[in-house]
């Protein structure tokens, strides 16, 4: 796809996010909006996947693990738009007895979801295990994972990073959504992580920087990361994003980390996001 096509998908994904969270009267729009470009690039341009024949084992295809599972709205929208399940199902977000719960779970057999990621800090460990399984099975595909800069305050993340480097898990690409905000405020006020690049490099990772709200940079940087795979070191992408990207009143603040817009606020947000693929 060309850049305009990918940007149009990301814009529609942002519309989906606003409508899903508003419809449920709960959810996490801020980080979801910020990661729309990244996940659009990953699912529509980068990964070798087969939505029509999804298996949890992911044999002979790339795999993605969402560690910061609270941004499920963006993942659900991207997966539906990519063909994993009907786009109309997005209307069931966070409703009782549906597959699209607030945090992703494979319990109801939702295509595209391989792990439950409600508890923060676990997804990178699972991705490391999946990448090791691919190496053991001579499956030359890549495992991707997304974590958040608030989530990396979890100690298990750093155990996984240390293990991946020590065991040369070089078919693994971990992206950190570095938006500088978490539920209680700026990350530097809650628990400042200092020089994130230096930390990853000290743990033995190859590190790239990326503007996660620039579609061209997303595609180019992830492709560069792919070109560096299978060279003895896992790869990290430090992705700068803006929480609430695309909706002016949600940007620049942590207040929309986990708050749903009311009907008036949702209408104001949707007015900034043109319909590109058609609403569900």
């Amino acid at each position: 796809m060309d850049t305009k096509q990918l940007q149009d998908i990301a814009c529609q994904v942002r519309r989906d996010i606003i409508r899903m969270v508003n419809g449920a009267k709960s959810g996490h729009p801020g980080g979801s909006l910020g990661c729309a470009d990244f996940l659009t690039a990953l699912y529509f341009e980068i990964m070798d996947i087969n939505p029509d024949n999804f298996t949890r084992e992911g044999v002979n295809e790339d795999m993605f693990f969402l560690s910061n599972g609270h941004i499920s709205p963006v993942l659900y929208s991207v997966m539906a738009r990519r063909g994993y399940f009907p786009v109309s199902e997005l209307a069931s977000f966070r409703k009782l007895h549906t597959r699209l719960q607030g945090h992703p779970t494979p319990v109801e057999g939702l295509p595209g979801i391989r792990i439950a990621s409600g508890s923060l800090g676990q997804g990178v460990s699972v991705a490391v295990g999946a990448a090791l399984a691919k190496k053991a099975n001579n499956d030359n595909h890549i495992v991707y994972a997304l974590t958040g800069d608030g989530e990396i305050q979890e100690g298990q993340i750093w155990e996984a990073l240390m293990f991946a480097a020590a065991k040369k898990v070089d078919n693994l690409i971990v992206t950190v959504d570095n938006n500088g905000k978490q539920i209680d405020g700026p990350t530097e006020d809650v628990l400042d992580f200092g020089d994130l690049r230096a930390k990853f490099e000290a743990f033995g990772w190859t590190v790239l920087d990326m503007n996660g709200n620039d579609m061209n940079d997303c595609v180019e940087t992830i492709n560069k990361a792919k070109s560096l795979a299978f060279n003895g070191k896992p790869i990290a992408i430090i992705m700068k994003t803006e929480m609430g990207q695309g909706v002016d009143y949600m940007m620049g603040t942590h207040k929309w980390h986990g708050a749903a817009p009311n009907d008036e606020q949702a209408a104001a947000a949707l007015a900034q996001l043109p319909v590109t693929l058609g609403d569900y």
Side-chain angles (χ1 to χ4, degrees):
M1 290 187 174
D2 61 31
T3 301
K4 178 62 165 56
Q5 289 174 302
L6 293 170
Q7 289 172 333
D8 284 348
I9 294 169
C11 185
Q12 187 65 53
V13 166
R14 288 188 167 97
R15 284 187 64 87
D16 291 345
I17 292 164
I18 294 298
R19 298 182 70 235
M20 291 162 67
V21 175
N22 168 252
K25 307 304 179 190
S26 65
H28 296 77
S32 295
L33 291 166
C35 289
D37 303 296
F38 166 70
L39 282 170
T40 296
L42 199 62
Y43 272 83
F44 284 85
E45 185 67 21
I46 304 294
M47 288 199 299
D48 178 11
I49 51 178
N50 186 1
D52 295 326
N53 188 30
F54 172 76
T55 65
R56 288 186 68 186
E57 294 79 12
V59 176
N60 294 321
E61 65 174 331
D62 293 337
M63 301 173 75
F64 172 76
F65 294 95
L66 179 69
S67 191
N68 49 334
H70 54 278
I71 66 167
S72 61
V74 64
L75 181 61
Y76 291 151
S77 172
V78 168
M79 290 195 309
R81 298 286 174 182
R82 186 63 175 83
Y84 280 93
F85 54 86
V87 172
S88 60
E89 192 170 349
L90 296 177
S92 71
F93 176 64
R94 276 183 174 250
K95 303 296 195 298
L96 287 174
H97 312 301
T98 70
R99 302 193 295 181
L100 304 189
Q101 291 302 298
H103 293 76
T105 172
V107 173
E108 300 297 332
L110 181 64
I113 300 299
R114 293 187 167 92
I115 63 166
S117 52
S119 299
L120 293 177
Q122 299 177 359
V124 176
S125 295
V126 177
V128 172
L132 282 173
K134 285 193 176 296
K135 291 173 76 71
N137 292 325
N138 297 312
D139 180 349
N140 293 318
H141 282 79
I142 293 175
V143 175
Y144 297 85
L146 176 65
T147 182
D149 56 6
E151 185 189 11
I152 62 174
Q153 294 163 0
E154 298 276 358
Q156 184 175 338
I157 295 285
W158 297 97
E159 294 178 58
L161 300 183
M162 181 169 59
F163 180 91
K167 301 302 179 183
K168 296 181 171 54
V169 187
D170 56 3
N171 56 338
L172 174 67
I173 299 174
V174 171
T175 299
V176 181
D177 179 20
N178 185 199
N179 61 30
K181 300 174 185 67
Q182 59 190 101
I183 191 168
D184 290 326
T187 53
E188 63 182 5
D189 293 339
V190 178
L191 187 61
D192 191 4
F193 46 70
D195 189 335
L196 193 53
R197 166 181 276 273
K199 284 182 168 61
F200 270 88
E201 289 177 339
F203 272 66
W205 286 59
T206 297
V207 184
L208 302 175
D209 294 299
M210 181 172 79
N211 179 350
N213 295 141
D214 182 300
M215 188 62 73
N216 284 324
D217 198 22
C218 284
V219 172
E220 291 173 7
T221 303
I222 303 169
N223 274 326
K224 182 177 180 180
K226 284 179 61 177
S227 74
L228 296 171
F230 305 105
N231 283 314
K233 297 173 70 173
I235 301 147
I237 299 174
I238 300 175
M239 177 176 72
K240 294 294 295 184
T241 66
E242 181 64 57
M243 183 174 279
Q245 177 68 26
V247 178
D248 55 6
Y249 66 83
M250 290 188 177
M251 297 168 64
T253 175
H254 69 281
K255 295 180 180 179
W256 294 97
H257 169 93
N262 61 31
D263 291 347
E264 182 180 354
Q265 291 166 332
L270 294 173
Q272 301 173 51
L273 301 165
V275 177
T276 54
L277 302 182
D279 288 332
Y280 61 85

